[in-house]
């Protein structure tokens, strides 16, 4: 009972996140699909290729996986320090070298990412577009419920990279449509790393995909969690590029 009161209080103090409750209720409808981790993991494992092959398939044969941590030591050290000084643990970062490399090679202009936490993926993308004229990143994030990490979301992104960045603090159900509208429903790259449920993905994937320009890049983290990414890649009839990252799997589709 106390748990429910705490959750209700968290939402009442942050009404902008209330629409997420509808998404959580909707998970009951897809109960069976929510519990497909075993099949999804096997499929991802069976279809995974290494990171270098992935980057070459997507960005061309000359492409390499660039380690942004060594290219931008100062930014990296700043980010590490920020993370260390953060009083709440917001979990690990996604495949940031891959994100940086794809951004660097493909030079996308309109970019949306979902899920920020410390902001490592935002940092990688912002460094990748640093010298690309008119490139802009909109990140959408709703903080972890009851963790009180609101003030620290995106804390590894330094002030001098923020002119090309907007951090929307909304649940995906509201934030993704809003971000797409800001880009006039034309995006070049998206990185999905927020609501990992089947329900959340099946809401967000089609919206993001429909706004992607031909040749645009669709990246989703943790595709082993459930069968959503597999089903979606079949639905849009694209061959997925899958690689392993920290014992999890990332999937990429090219439109
Ligand atoms: C795995 S972390 C993101 C990590 C980040 N992309 C990186 O690589 O550094 C997931 C983030 O998504 C947020 N999130 C989870 N569900 C969400 C939702 N429905 N709408 C918006 N953000 C959500 C979490 O609070 C958390 O901040």
């Amino acid at each position: 009972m106390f748990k429910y009161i705490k959750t209700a209080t968290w939402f009442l103090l942050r009404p902008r996140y209330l629409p997420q409750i509808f998404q959580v209720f909707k998970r009951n409808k897809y109960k069976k699909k929510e519990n497909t981790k075993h099949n999804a993991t096997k499929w991802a494992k069976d279809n995974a290729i290494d990171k270098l092959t992935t980057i070459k398939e997507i960005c061309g044969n000359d492409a390499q996986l660039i380690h942004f941590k060594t290219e931008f030591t100062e930014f990296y050290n700043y980010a590490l320090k920020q993370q260390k000084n953060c009083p709440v643990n917001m979990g690990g970062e996604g495949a940031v070298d891959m994100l940086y490399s794809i951004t660097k090679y493909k030079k996308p202009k309109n970019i949306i990412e979902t899920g920020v936490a410390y902001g490592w993926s935002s940092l990688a993308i912002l460094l990748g577009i640093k010298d690309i004229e008119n490139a802009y990143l909109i990140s959408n994030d709703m903080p972890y419920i009851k963790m009180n990490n609101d003030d620290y979301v995106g804390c590894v992104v330094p002030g001098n990279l923020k002119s090309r960045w907007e951090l929307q603090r909304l649940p995906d159900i509201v934030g993704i449509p809003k971000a797409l509208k800001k880009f006039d429903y034309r995006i070049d790259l998206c990185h999905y790393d927020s609501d990992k449920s089947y329900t959340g993905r099946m809401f967000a994937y089609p919206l993001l995909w429909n706004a992607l320009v031909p040749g645009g890049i669709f990246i989703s983290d943790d595709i082993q969690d459930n069968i959503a990414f597999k089903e979606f890649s079949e639905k849009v009839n694209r061959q997925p590029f899958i690689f392993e990252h920290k014992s999890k799997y990332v999937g990429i589709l090219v439109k």
Side-chain angles (χ1 to χ4, degrees), residues 131-222:
D131 302 317
I132 305 172
E133 217 181 312
N134 297 327
Y136 199 76
L137 168 67
I138 301 179
S139 305
N140 190 65
D141 190 273
M142 155 179 173
Y144 291 116
I145 298 170
K146 295 185 287 184
M147 205 195 246
N148 294 328
N149 62 329
D150 313 42
D151 291 347
Y152 305 98
V153 171
C155 66
V156 304
V157 177
N160 56 354
L161 289 180
K162 287 187 178 166
S163 61
R164 285 159 177 270
W165 190 39
E166 181 181 346
L167 172 56
Q168 290 186 162
R169 292 163 172 278
L170 291 167
D172 284 348
I173 188 171
V174 182
I176 293 175
K178 201 168 180 176
L180 288 171
K181 192 170 178 205
K182 286 176 187 165
F183 279 138
D184 216 7
Y185 303 97
R186 270 181 73 84
I187 57 171
D188 304 295
L189 174 79
C190 65
H191 177 230
Y192 185 85
D193 193 17
S194 48
D195 181 350
K196 306 293 170 66
S197 67
Y198 179 89
T199 310
R201 290 177 201 262
M202 284 320 209
F203 162 78
Y205 282 0
L207 287 179
L208 293 165
W209 181 262
N210 289 341
L212 263 185
V213 298
I217 314 283
F218 179 98
I219 308 174
S220 180
D221 260 45
D222 296 334

Side-chain angles (χ1 to χ4, degrees), residues 92-108:
E93 79 267 20
V96 286
D97 287 334
M98 185 64 77
L99 271 179
Y100 173 72
S101 305
I102 289 179
T103 311
K104 193 89 187 141
Y105 286 116
K106 301 300 277 189
K107 305 192 184 333

Side-chain angles (χ1 to χ4, degrees), residues 13-14 17 28-29 61 71-72 75 78 85 100 113 125 133 179 181 186-188 196 200-201 207 222 235-237 244:
L13 291 172
R14 300 164 179 82
Y17 301 126
N28 268 330
K29 192 175 148 196
N61 240 341
E71 273 222 347
F72 293 100
F75 284 102
Y78 169 84
N85 290 339
Y100 173 72
E113 75 161 343
I125 295 169
E133 217 181 312
K181 192 170 178 205
R186 270 181 73 84
I187 57 171
D188 304 295
K196 306 293 170 66
R201 290 177 201 262
L207 287 179
D222 296 334
K235 190 173 167 212
V236 296
N237 200 18
E244 192 181 344

